[in-house]
Amino acid sequence: MSEEREPMASSSSAEQEDTPGGAGPARPLLLPPEQDQDWPPKKRLRVEADPGSVRLEERLYSVLCCTVCLDLPKASVYQCTNGHLMCAGCFIHLLADARLKEEQATCPNCRCEISKSLCCRNLAVEKAVSELPSECGFCMKAFPRSLLDRHKKEECQDRVTQCKYKRIGCPWQGPFHELTVHESECCHPTKTGNELMEILDEMDQTHKKEMQLYNSIFGLLSFEKIGYTEVQFRPYRTDDFITRLYYETPRFTVLNQTWVLKARVNDSERNPNLSCKRTLSFQLILKSKVNSPMECSFLLLNGPYDDVKIHPVIYHFAFTNENNETEYVPLPIIDSVECNKLLAAKNINLRLFIFQIQK
């Protein structure tokens, strides 16, 4: 068997061999076209982008990714009427941006109109994405996305875990396969009672504020006059030279008094659609006249049919005929993603509770 020669090691006679058309010396035919600078650019591009050299998972990644963030969806997948895909977060963000700009939301690819009624879930893409492999962030092994969460939480030997003695102050965190060795050597079980009391006192302080909130809510439930209603914020624009978006509810009656709620986005900044951080604040206004000061506690929660995450915060105010409007207070939404869920809707539906303090 003859030995193979290197591509550039051809003899001088081969280099001087004429082409079939007699046009002159030929290039060495063994040189890969992607390395040959004389090869036509389009030909080189086709060779480099040969789909046979790319794994199936990578080709599916580019097909199934969100058209906005260019990442694979982690949950629900929506599509426009022309079939372009959007992950749930980007879809809601597009609707919220359009609402802030008072425009019709459109698909970033084909510019067709999108809304919750015009777009639908693509279950086939959701199932396909769930079967694509993804690396575990702890052990770097690949698993189908549908099994990855369970692997990270229950099966991965490199997942981060905590010592069982964390309840008495052990701060250790480490990979699961080192847990048994650490717990056998942990010094916290051998601490004295006085040492443990100091640690437990510090831990109790972190839970004290949460317990104060729950205790205050339970205390409000014992009030004689309690009223609640479902409110609907509708979007409006100011009549100023620079218009600003705000929300307002129709008048409603609670505790035999007439009220109105107002809300604003990002404290009425000029262009909230240009900001990635979204917040909502609201104001409670007493519209009816009262004979004496009316001291109240109030809070807003999500409605019965919404999945928006709102942490309860209790506000207090004494309403009089001369001072019948509260300051704007934050609507306690956990992050901008939850705020976008509210802004993407045509109207914002929440539930208001008012507790009148009796003297």
Side-chain angles (χ1 to χ4, degrees):
M1 180 181 295
S2 61
E3 297 182 357
E4 294 183 3
R5 293 179 297 176
E6 294 295 330
M8 299 301 294
S10 56
S11 63
S12 59
S13 60
E15 293 176 355
Q16 297 175 358
E17 184 181 353
D18 290 344
T19 61
R27 295 189 305 272
L29 298 179
L30 296 177
L31 187 65
E34 62 271 21
Q35 297 179 10
D36 191 348
Q37 298 303 316
D38 294 331
W39 199 278
K42 291 185 178 179
K43 185 66 175 178
R44 292 203 307 270
L45 184 61
R46 283 198 297 268
V47 172
E48 292 173 355
D50 180 14
S53 63
V54 182
R55 292 190 307 170
L56 175 62
E57 293 86 351
E58 296 177 3
R59 300 203 302 272
L60 287 177
Y61 185 99
S62 62
V63 172
L64 302 177
C65 67
C66 170
T67 190
V68 181
C69 64
L70 303 180
D71 198 2
L72 281 180
K74 296 180 175 61
S76 304
V77 180
Y78 292 86
Q79 67 175 26
C80 72
T81 53
N82 290 325
H84 297 120
L85 305 176
M86 292 164 280
C87 65
C90 291
F91 176 65
I92 294 299
H93 197 101
L94 288 173
L95 298 183
D97 278 355
R99 189 71 60 187
L100 291 174
K101 294 185 289 185
E102 206 171 4
E103 298 175 355
Q104 172 62 50
T106 58
C107 171
N109 262 21
C110 61
R111 298 303 175 186
C112 70
E113 294 184 358
I114 60 174
S115 66
K116 289 187 177 180
S117 59
L118 292 175
C119 296
C120 61
R121 296 265 300 274
N122 192 319
L123 300 181
V125 171
E126 292 178 14
K127 292 182 180 296
V129 170
S130 69
E131 294 302 321
L132 287 177
S134 181
E135 285 188 351
C136 171
F138 302 121
C139 64
M140 308 308 292
K141 296 180 181 178
F143 296 89
R145 290 172 179 266
S146 57
L147 304 178
L148 189 59
D149 286 344
R150 178 181 176 184
H151 168 78
K152 287 182 176 180
K153 294 178 181 178
E154 302 176 8
E155 300 171 355
C156 183
Q157 294 297 307
D158 292 328
R159 68 186 187 272
V160 177
T161 188
Q162 294 179 315
C163 177
K164 68 180 180 181
Y165 299 113
K166 68 177 182 178
R167 297 190 178 189
I168 55 175
C170 179
W172 182 87
Q173 289 185 342
F176 179 78
H177 65 266
E178 297 180 5
L179 178 63
T180 303
V181 175
H182 165 76
E183 289 180 348
S184 64
E185 301 173 351
C186 184
C187 62
H188 279 72
T190 60
K191 288 183 178 292
T192 64
N194 289 332
E195 292 174 332
L196 290 178
M197 284 300 296
E198 293 178 1
I199 296 173
L200 293 175
D201 286 342
E202 294 178 1
M203 296 174 64
D204 287 342
Q205 294 298 324
T206 61
H207 301 290
K208 190 174 181 180
K209 292 183 179 180
E210 294 182 6
M211 293 306 300
Q212 287 177 345
L213 172 63
Y214 291 118
N215 290 334
S216 60
I217 292 178
F218 293 142
L220 292 175
L221 294 177
S222 64
F223 281 19
E224 180 181 355
K225 293 186 176 182
I226 302 174
Y228 75 93
T229 184
E230 293 180 20
V231 294
Q232 185 179 83
F233 290 88
R234 298 173 182 173
Y236 298 94
R237 293 278 173 177
T238 60
D239 296 329
D240 303 333
F241 176 73
I242 301 176
T243 61
R244 286 180 170 83
L245 174 72
Y246 71 97
Y247 288 83
E248 187 172 336
T249 66
R251 295 192 178 197
F252 57 89
T253 301
V254 176
L255 300 178
N256 297 322
Q257 304 293 338
T258 304
W259 310 81
V260 165
L261 277 167
K262 289 185 178 181
R264 60 189 186 186
V265 184
N266 289 10
D267 292 326
S268 293
E269 70 178 12
R270 183 173 180 180
N271 293 311
N273 57 293
L274 301 180
S275 173
C276 293
K277 186 177 181 181
R278 305 276 167 80
T279 60
L280 277 170
S281 54
F282 71 97
Q283 177 187 45
L284 180 61
I285 303 172
L286 176 64
K287 288 295 185 180
S288 55
K289 299 296 183 179
V290 291
N291 297 325
S292 59
M294 184 177 180
E295 190 173 352
C296 297
S297 298
F298 60 95
L299 71 156
L300 272 178
L301 297 175
N302 55 302
Y305 306 110
D306 294 328
D307 61 346
V308 179
K309 298 176 182 177
I310 300 178
H311 290 318
V313 174
I314 302 171
Y315 299 102
H316 307 275
F317 193 78
F319 292 92
T320 64
N321 293 330
E322 295 76 20
N323 189 17
N324 62 343
E325 298 181 357
T326 69
E327 299 291 334
Y328 275 92
V329 293
L331 181 64
I333 310 172
I334 62 174
D335 55 27
S336 296
V337 175
E338 297 300 314
C339 187
N340 281 330
K341 289 182 181 179
L342 291 176
L343 297 176
K346 186 176 182 180
N347 298 308
I348 298 177
N349 297 291
L350 299 173
R351 180 171 283 181
L352 172 70
F353 287 82
I354 300 180
F355 307 87
Q356 185 176 356
I357 302 175
Q358 300 294 314
K359 295 186 178 180

